[in-house]
Amino acid sequence: MKGTILDGHALNPGDLDWSVLTDKGDFTIFEGTSPDEVLERCSGCEVVITNKVAFDRKVIEALPQLRYIGVTATGYNIIDTQAAKEHGVAVTNIPAYSTNAVAQHVFAFLLELADGVGLHDASVKAGDWERSASFCYWKRPLFELEGKRIGIVGAGNIGRRVASLARAFGMEVLYTSPHSRIEGARLVSFDELVASCPIISLHCPLSVDTLHMVDDEALGRMGEGTILINCSRGPLVDSGAVLRALDSGRLSWYCADVLEVEPPRDDMLVHHPHTLITPHIAWAPLETRSRLLDIASDNLEAWLEGRQLNRIV
């Protein structure tokens, strides 16, 4: 079996062992692949492993030997699944591998805002404490999470884990979800959530219904000084609307691990003084990526044996 890994660097920059996957066939590994390199690098391959490299109908139809696409992520919108189905190409994804890591990242943002550890470390290293007339100082108001209300949009694995951590900090949890439920939290409408929660965390998939769900209208219903956290998908928010809300004070902070365009290109959110932006790393702890690679291997093995595991098509 001939296979290729098209954009392996993000998953494994050198700290994991590819053999758990590549021992199953004759694989070529590329750190990254541009759109105009896809056909050449996939030519003759039955199996393709991709994270962000897209496979539209035109690409799928140009690869007659292709039989399997393994997406090394939970989201699979980069694949034309209808075209894959029509051409007998199996598609798998990696669900629920990053639950703990993403929830942890949400609280990394929240704790930075609450305690300012990074902010004050930088201040001390800049000599501010040495010049201080007092034994202590703080660069911005600090606050406790205990007793604060957090609103969670989406009640999947990550949303439920965020709720669990929030309760451990003594927070009150509200959530909105069309299907799933969170035990020990109060289910409300999206409108009620945005109007009544000073902290809001987004944990829902990107779809035609959720695209720009946080727009001027939704932001206008939020209370003054709301903290908005997005560790889900960049396009869930209208970036221009978020900028306006930050400038007006409607949002006190926007914390995001994802942006509408990645890597960003002159995105004003990156430079705003009231944003915390990380480069899509909530999924990146070593343990999380190791789990992802193991599941990708299991998915491929199941397909080779004629079993269904994490099959989208």
Side-chain angles (χ1 to χ4, degrees), residues 160-233:
R160 291 195 298 272
R161 184 60 177 151
V162 170
S164 174
L165 293 177
R167 288 195 298 269
F169 277 101
M171 303 179 77
E172 178 187 359
V173 181
L174 276 62
Y175 75 100
T176 184
S177 173
H179 306 297
S180 303
R181 296 294 176 261
I182 299 179
E183 186 177 349
R186 180 155 63 93
L187 175 65
V188 297
S189 68
F190 178 73
D191 287 351
E192 182 178 348
L193 184 144
V194 298
S196 61
C197 294
I199 302 169
I200 297 171
S201 192
L202 305 178
H203 299 289
C204 52
L206 179 63
S207 69
V208 292
D209 296 322
T210 61
L211 176 66
H212 286 184
M213 65 187 304
V214 180
D215 55 11
D216 282 308
E217 183 180 352
L219 289 159
R221 291 195 295 270
M222 295 181 187
E224 199 78 8
T226 296
I227 295 169
L228 178 62
I229 302 170
N230 186 3
C231 288
S232 185
R233 294 290 183 264

Side-chain angles (χ1 to χ4, degrees), residues 93-133:
N93 74 332
I94 316 287
Y97 75 95
S98 63
T99 299
N100 293 331
V102 176
Q104 175 178 295
H105 205 82
V106 169
F107 277 86
F109 279 139
L110 267 180
L111 290 169
E112 177 58 33
L113 293 182
D115 295 318
V117 171
L119 172 71
H120 289 95
D121 172 69
S123 173
V124 169
K125 286 180 168 61
D128 292 345
W129 201 4
E130 295 175 35
R131 293 186 291 268
S132 176

Side-chain angles (χ1 to χ4, degrees), residues 50-62:
T50 178
N51 183 276
K52 291 290 185 291
V53 177
F55 282 74
D56 58 18
R57 177 175 292 275
K58 183 178 179 181
V59 171
I60 291 171
E61 290 179 346

